[in-house]
Amino acid sequence: ETGLSERDFDADGTLDLLIAHEGFICGDVGRSGFCGMQVCTTKIWLNRGGQFVLQEDFLGMLIEVDNSVPPVITGRAHGGAAWTMRWTGTGFR
């Protein structure tokens, strides 16, 4: 998986964005400046009338997005604890 996923995260028929900084390499440094020792910043932007609105901003690693609608997002937290989330109609849980 790359650092950018375009999917319909809220099942409204428009493409939204997930940006996971663990998927980006930055110059000679290697990792994105938005990464710590274990996890990186991940953001989900929902398309609202052609403009992207930040819906979620969290830390995670090994972020994966499946192909269901709405998609299931999985990852790991600090220390390696697994988590799963998806759009519930009012937010991500």
Side-chain angles (χ1 to χ4, degrees):
E1 188 94 12
T2 66
L4 178 65
S5 294
E6 290 181 287
R7 304 277 168 67
D8 185 4
F9 287 103
D10 58 354
D12 69 351
T14 61
L15 288 178
D16 306 302
L17 296 173
L18 180 144
I19 299 171
H21 281 270
E22 71 177 337
F24 297 104
I25 305 297
C26 298
D28 295 334
V29 177
R31 296 182 78 182
S32 166
F34 292 93
C35 292
M37 293 297 291
Q38 290 184 1
V39 295
C40 299
T41 297
T42 301
K43 297 184 181 203
I44 301 174
W45 300 81
L46 298 181
N47 187 333
R48 296 292 186 248
Q51 294 187 10
F52 289 97
V53 176
L54 181 62
Q55 180 69 36
E56 289 290 326
D57 185 353
F58 57 93
L59 297 174
M61 64 180 171
L62 303 174
I63 307 297
E64 293 186 12
V65 181
D66 75 3
N67 290 319
S68 60
V69 178
V72 174
I73 305 162
T74 59
R76 302 271 176 175
H78 279 281
W83 54 262
T84 300
M85 75 166 93
R86 84 180 313 170
W87 182 256
T88 65
T90 58
F92 288 91
R93 302 273 183 271

